[in-house]
C-alpha cells in the first residue's frame, strides 16, 4: 500500500491524498464523502453502516471498506491535513477517535474510559487505543507536532489540540503562567512521563483570523478584561 500526500495548499485549496492499494490491501475509510476519484473494480468499494459508538463519535452513518488493487483520491478542505501513522506491536498511544480518517486491516481498537473530570472538560468520554500492525490516518487542523515527554519536567499542551498521548503518561488539566495569563487561555494538559505526544498546530487559526480581520475593539477589550473572556466570548 502506498499513500501520497500533496502537502502544498495552492491558493488555500486544501490537501490531496492519493491511495494506491495492491492485492490483499484493505482500508476502512471513515469519511468516504471525501473520495473524489476512484480507479478499479466497482466491487472494490463496499460501504457499510458504522456501529453505534462510531455513529455517535464520528457523527457519520457510513464507512467505506476499499480493497486492492485500486487507486483513489481523497480531498481534504482548506486548513486540514492528514498524518499517516505506522503502528507496531509496542504502540501505546491513546487517540481521539474524531481525528481518525482511515485504518488498515490488522488494526484493532480498544476503548479507554476517561476520568469524570476529564470528560467534563474535554467533552469526550473515551479515548481509543490502536493495537496490531498496520496504518492509521489522522485528520488534523494544521500541521501535526510531536514532542517528547519528560518524567519530571511537565509539558503543557492545549487540551483541544491533543491528538494522541502515551497510555501511561500522567495528565492533569490545568492552566499556567501568572494570574492574567491563566485567565486568558484554554485548559491545558500538564503532561509528564515517557514517550511522545502528538498535537495539532492549527486549531486556533480561525480565532486568529477573526482577531486580525473582523473583530471589533470593544469585543477584544472584553476578552482581555473579563476572567476567562477569551474562552467564554466567541
Amino acid at each position: 500500500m502506498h499513500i501520497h500526500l500533496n502537502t502544498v495548499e495552492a491558493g488555500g485549496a486544501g490537501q490531496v491524498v492519493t491511495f494506491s492499494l495492491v492485492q490483499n490491501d484493505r482500508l476502512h475509510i471513515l469519511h468516504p464523502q471525501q473520495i473524489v476519484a476512484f480507479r478499479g473494480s466497482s466491487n472494490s468499494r463496499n460501504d457499510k453502516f458504522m456501529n453505534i459508538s462510531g455513529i455517535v463519535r464520528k457523527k457519520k452513518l457510513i464507512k467505506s471498506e476499499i480493497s486492492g488493487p485500486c487507486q483513489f483520491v481523497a480531498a481534504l478542505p482548506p486548513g486540514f491535513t492528514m498524518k499517516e501513522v505506522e503502528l507496531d506491536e509496542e504502540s501505546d498511544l491513546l487517540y481521539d477517535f474524531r481525528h481518525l480518517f482511515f485504518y488498515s486491516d490488522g488494526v484493532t481498537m480498544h476503548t479507554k474510559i476517561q476520568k469524570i473530570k476529564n470528560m467534563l472538560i474535554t467533552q469526550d468520554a473515551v479515548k481509543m487505543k490502536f493495537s496490531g500492525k498496520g496504518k492509521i490516518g489522522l485528520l488534523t487542523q494544521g500541521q501535526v507536532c510531536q514532542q517528547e515527554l519528560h518524567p519530571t519536567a511537565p509539558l503543557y499542551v492545549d487540551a483541544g489540540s491533543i491528538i494522541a498521548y502515551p497510555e501511561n503518561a500522567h495528565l492533569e488539566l490545568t492552566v499556567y503562567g501568572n494570574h492574567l495569563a491563566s485567565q486568558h487561555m484554554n485548559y491545558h494538559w500538564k503532561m509528564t512521563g515517557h514517550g511522545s505526544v502528538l498535537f495539532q498546530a492549527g486549531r486556533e487559526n480561525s480565532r486568529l483570523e477573526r482577531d486580525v480581520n473582523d473583530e471589533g475593539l470593544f469585543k477584544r477589550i472584553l476578552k482581555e478584561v473579563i476572567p476567562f473572556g477569551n474562552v467564554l466570548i466567541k
Side-chain angles (χ1 to χ4, degrees), residues 83-86 93 95 138 143-149 155 157 161-166 194-201:
K83 179 176 178 61
E84 177 187 356
V85 177
E86 184 86 33
L93 293 180
Y95 294 85
L138 302 175
Q143 296 299 312
V144 175
C145 301
Q146 180 172 336
Q147 289 280 335
E148 289 290 326
L149 295 179
L155 174 69
V157 184
S161 297
I162 289 287
I163 300 171
Y165 57 84
H194 299 276
S196 299
V197 57
L198 302 177
F199 56 93
Q200 55 188 348

Side-chain angles (χ1 to χ4, degrees), residues 8-217:
V8 179
E9 297 191 9
Q15 188 181 54
V16 174
V17 186
T18 301
F19 297 82
S20 298
L21 308 185
V22 299
Q23 193 72 36
N24 298 323
D25 283 345
R26 183 163 62 172
L27 288 183
H28 304 260
I29 307 295
L30 303 188
H31 294 271
Q33 74 279 4
Q34 301 306 129
I35 299 175
V36 296
F38 179 87
R39 172 173 289 165
S41 170
S42 62
N43 295 328
S44 295
R45 175 169 171 169
N46 185 19
D47 283 15
K48 297 182 177 181
F49 286 103
M50 298 180 69
N51 58 30
I52 296 299
S53 62
I55 292 174
V56 172
R57 297 182 63 74
K58 292 294 289 185
K59 297 180 174 61
K60 301 288 182 182
L61 288 174
I62 305 294
K63 73 171 184 177
S64 290
E65 292 183 1
I66 301 182
S67 303
C70 67
Q71 184 181 78
F72 62 97
V73 177
L76 306 182
F80 285 83
T81 59
M82 195 196 76
K83 179 176 178 61
E84 177 187 356
V85 177
E86 184 86 33
L87 298 178
D88 57 40
E89 299 295 341
E90 298 180 356
S91 297
D92 69 339
L93 293 180
L94 300 180
Y95 294 85
D96 188 331
F97 190 65
R98 291 172 294 182
H99 292 292
L100 188 63
F101 186 74
F102 76 83
Y103 62 95
S104 66
D105 266 10
V107 173
T108 57
M109 292 177 280
H110 312 275
T111 58
K112 298 290 182 178
I113 305 298
Q114 290 204 90
K115 296 179 181 179
I116 297 297
K117 181 180 69 173
N118 296 353
M119 291 183 191
L120 296 176
I121 297 297
T122 64
Q123 298 181 347
D124 191 17
V126 300
K127 294 294 184 182
M128 303 298 300
K129 182 178 180 180
F130 298 99
S131 60
K133 297 189 67 174
K135 295 182 179 182
I136 62 174
L138 302 175
L139 189 63
T140 67
Q141 292 178 272
Q143 296 299 312
V144 175
C145 301
Q146 180 172 336
Q147 289 280 335
E148 289 290 326
L149 295 179
H150 189 275
T152 57
L155 174 69
Y156 296 87
V157 184
D158 185 300
S161 297
I162 289 287
I163 300 171
Y165 57 84
E167 181 177 13
N168 296 314
H170 177 74
L171 283 74
E172 178 185 347
L173 278 168
T174 186
V175 290
Y176 67 94
N178 65 4
H179 183 67
L180 187 61
S182 64
Q183 287 184 342
H184 293 85
M185 66 171 61
N186 298 322
Y187 277 102
H188 282 57
W189 287 113
K190 179 181 178 182
M191 310 179 73
T192 54
H194 299 276
S196 299
V197 57
L198 302 177
F199 56 93
Q200 55 188 348
R203 180 173 176 265
E204 297 297 327
N205 285 355
S206 59
R207 178 179 295 178
L208 178 61
E209 291 174 1
R210 291 196 303 269
D211 289 346
V212 171
N213 296 324
D214 300 321
E215 201 166 76
L217 176 62

